[in-house]
């Protein structure tokens, strides 16, 4: 549950006047945060809380001439390591002796960039402003808040490094004013040289089982068959792609709807094998909610870091033309 301190802080943000000057300043900081993720090298440790789970991770990130490469290493729980570049996300699972390779969408943002991809749009659906900064990982920060104007999206509290603009801490706030997801750097070094060896995984993956996702662009006829007939105000179709799930060898259609900040994924696949677990109705864990239903012999699964009402609204409106 959210503490009384956080409740008071959140109420103070909601009551702040959303004047033009404050909004412009907040927008400037969001631009600065986006630029930092694109241009800065950094290494550090952070904690990530989602639901009842607390993960400790180490990240190494290098940006060079428009390309990005990063390495994520788990520091607690089951061992795992993730390598990300401009094209792929490669996940090493040593306890299972397996490697999962997924195609990376060009519009995906690198961690910790939980920031808008269309900054000019979000003021229609969110109120933005500046809050009191704090010290994070022993660095001075500027706090930016982004609060929704309806019940279909979450709010954000973001702490950016004053010097570089890099996002160092974030809280995700649900419709009840509770912090449902958090991440925070505990130490970080920004702007240092990143060597190739620093980005090399600890595991070779030799003689392991490799599962490779295949991304297939849908043909023009397929493009119009599935769609969401109802969307929260501001949401629109961002991306549509066909995917071959690497561990199931199953073709899945993937639709992504976004308001410029929040994103919801819709997965459409033929009804699977008997006994295979499928989501029915609405379920959730922490900040993530999912809705499942069956339409014309296809399993529809809607997933996103959004309130339950959002996935239910979209999921119940999926139609086949």
């Amino acid at each position: 549950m959210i503490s009384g301190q956080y409740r008071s802080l959140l109420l103070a943000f909601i009551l702040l006047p959303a004047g033009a000057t404050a909004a412009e300043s907040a927008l400037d900081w969001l631009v600065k945060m986006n630029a930092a993720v694109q241009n800065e090298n950094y290494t550090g440790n952070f904690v990530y809380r989602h639901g009842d789970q607390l993960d400790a991770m180490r990240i190494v990130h290098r940006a060079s001439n428009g390309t990005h490469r990063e390495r994520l290493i788990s520091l607690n729980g089951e061992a795992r390591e993730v390598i990300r570049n401009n094209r792929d996300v490669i996940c090493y699972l040593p306890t299972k002796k397996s490697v999962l390779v997924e195609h990376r969408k060009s519009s995906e943002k690198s961690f910790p960039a939980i920031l808008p991809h269309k900054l000019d749009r979000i003021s229609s659906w969110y109120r933005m402003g500046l809050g009191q900064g704090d010290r994070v990982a022993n660095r001075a920060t500027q706090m930016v808040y982004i609060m929704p104007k309806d019940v279909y999206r979450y709010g954000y509290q973001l702490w950016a490094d004053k010097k570089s603009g890099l996002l160092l801490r974030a809280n995700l706030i649900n419709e009840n004013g509770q912090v449902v997801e958090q991440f925070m750097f505990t130490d970080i070094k920004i702007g240092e040289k990143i060597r190739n060896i620093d980005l090399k995984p600890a595991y070779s993956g030799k003689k392991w089982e490799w599962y490779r996702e295949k991304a297939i662009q849908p043909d023009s006829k397929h493009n119009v068959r599935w769609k969401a007939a109802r969307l929260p105000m501001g949401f629109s179709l961002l991306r549509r792609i066909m995917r071959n799930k690497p561990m199931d060898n199953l073709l899945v259609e993937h639709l992504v709807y976004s308001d410029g900040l929040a994103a919801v994924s819709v997965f459409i696949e033929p009804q699977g094998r008997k006994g295979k677990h499928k989501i029915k109705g609405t379920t959730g864990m922490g900040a993530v909610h999912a809705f499942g239903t069956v339409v014309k012999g296809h399993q529809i699964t809607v997933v996103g870091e959004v309130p339950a009402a959002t996935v239910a609204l979209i999921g119940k409106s999926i139609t086949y033309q």
Side-chain angles (χ1 to χ4, degrees):
M1 297 290 291
I2 186 171
S3 68
Q5 180 184 7
Y6 275 119
R7 285 187 185 278
S8 299
L9 190 60
L10 179 59
L11 285 173
F13 291 151
I14 293 174
L15 294 173
L16 279 173
T21 302
E24 289 170 0
S25 297
L27 193 60
D28 290 342
W29 271 98
L30 291 177
V31 171
K32 190 175 181 179
M33 284 186 246
N34 261 335
V37 171
Q38 298 299 317
N39 301 320
E40 294 285 359
N41 291 347
Y42 54 89
T43 62
N45 296 334
F46 64 90
V47 291
Y48 173 51
R49 181 182 71 82
H50 49 115
D52 295 328
Q53 188 170 338
L54 181 65
D55 292 325
M57 306 286 292
R58 178 163 182 78
I59 187 169
V60 181
H61 178 274
R62 182 172 69 189
S64 177
N65 299 321
T67 64
H68 302 270
R69 186 173 175 85
E70 64 187 29
R71 179 185 177 199
L72 282 163
I73 307 106
S74 66
L75 301 178
N76 69 317
E78 184 176 328
R80 60 198 184 281
E81 192 165 328
V82 178
I83 303 295
R84 294 176 178 171
N85 55 42
N86 283 20
R87 297 180 304 170
D88 300 309
V89 178
I90 307 168
C91 184
Y92 293 84
L93 303 170
T95 57
K96 298 178 180 178
K97 303 295 182 185
S98 61
V99 181
L100 180 62
V101 182
E102 294 185 348
H103 174 69
R104 183 169 185 170
K105 283 72 71 179
S106 60
S107 59
E108 281 186 341
K109 299 180 284 289
S110 297
F111 183 89
I114 46 176
L115 300 171
H117 61 265
K118 291 187 177 179
L119 290 168
D120 57 337
R121 287 182 52 190
I122 67 169
S123 60
S124 298
W125 328 118
Y126 299 88
R127 291 192 304 271
M128 298 181 293
L130 300 180
Q132 182 64 45
D134 198 359
R135 194 165 58 92
V136 179
N138 203 31
R139 301 178 73 97
T141 65
Q142 173 61 58
M143 196 275 195
V144 178
Y145 68 86
I146 308 173
M147 291 299 168
K149 295 180 179 179
D150 60 25
V151 298
Y152 292 109
R153 44 209 116 211
Y154 288 141
Y156 299 80
Q157 298 170 335
L158 309 174
W159 286 262
D161 178 41
K162 277 194 173 181
K163 185 176 181 180
S164 67
L166 191 69
L167 182 61
L168 300 183
R169 177 184 170 190
N171 290 345
L172 195 61
I173 311 295
N174 71 7
E175 64 274 27
N176 298 317
Q178 298 171 317
V179 179
V180 290
E181 183 176 285
Q182 295 176 297
F183 100 83
M184 183 178 70
F185 276 100
T186 56
D187 67 83
I188 190 167
K189 294 180 180 179
I190 303 172
E192 296 191 347
K193 182 178 180 180
I194 306 295
R195 303 170 300 170
N196 289 335
I197 194 171
D198 297 326
L199 293 162
K200 185 178 180 181
Y203 314 97
S204 68
K206 291 182 179 178
K207 297 183 180 180
W208 289 12
E209 193 75 31
W210 284 66
Y211 299 94
R212 298 181 184 273
E213 179 194 49
K214 296 179 181 178
I216 307 166
Q217 293 292 343
D219 57 39
S220 58
K221 182 180 178 181
H222 197 100
N223 276 346
V224 298
R225 289 185 176 176
W226 294 99
K227 73 172 186 178
R230 293 188 63 196
L231 294 167
M233 190 74 71
F235 278 80
S236 60
L237 183 65
L238 176 66
R239 180 174 58 248
R240 181 191 299 262
I241 198 167
M242 299 297 296
R243 297 187 170 279
N244 188 1
K245 293 173 69 175
M247 302 186 82
D248 294 333
N249 195 28
L250 183 66
L251 196 63
V252 178
E253 185 165 356
H254 182 195
L255 314 180
V256 180
Y257 293 94
S258 176
D259 66 354
L261 180 58
V264 176
S265 286
V266 180
F267 299 97
I268 304 162
E269 59 187 276
Q271 279 188 285
R273 291 155 280 185
K274 289 184 178 180
K276 187 176 180 180
H277 176 71
K278 294 292 183 184
I279 296 173
K280 292 183 179 179
T282 306
T283 185
M285 184 181 73
V288 178
H289 285 96
F291 177 86
T293 188
V294 175
V295 178
K296 293 188 177 295
H298 287 71
Q299 173 69 34
I300 311 297
T301 306
V302 185
V303 183
E305 284 192 340
V306 291
T310 309
V311 294
L313 176 69
I314 295 174
K316 291 177 181 178
S317 76
I318 297 296
T319 60
Y320 179 85
Q321 296 180 333

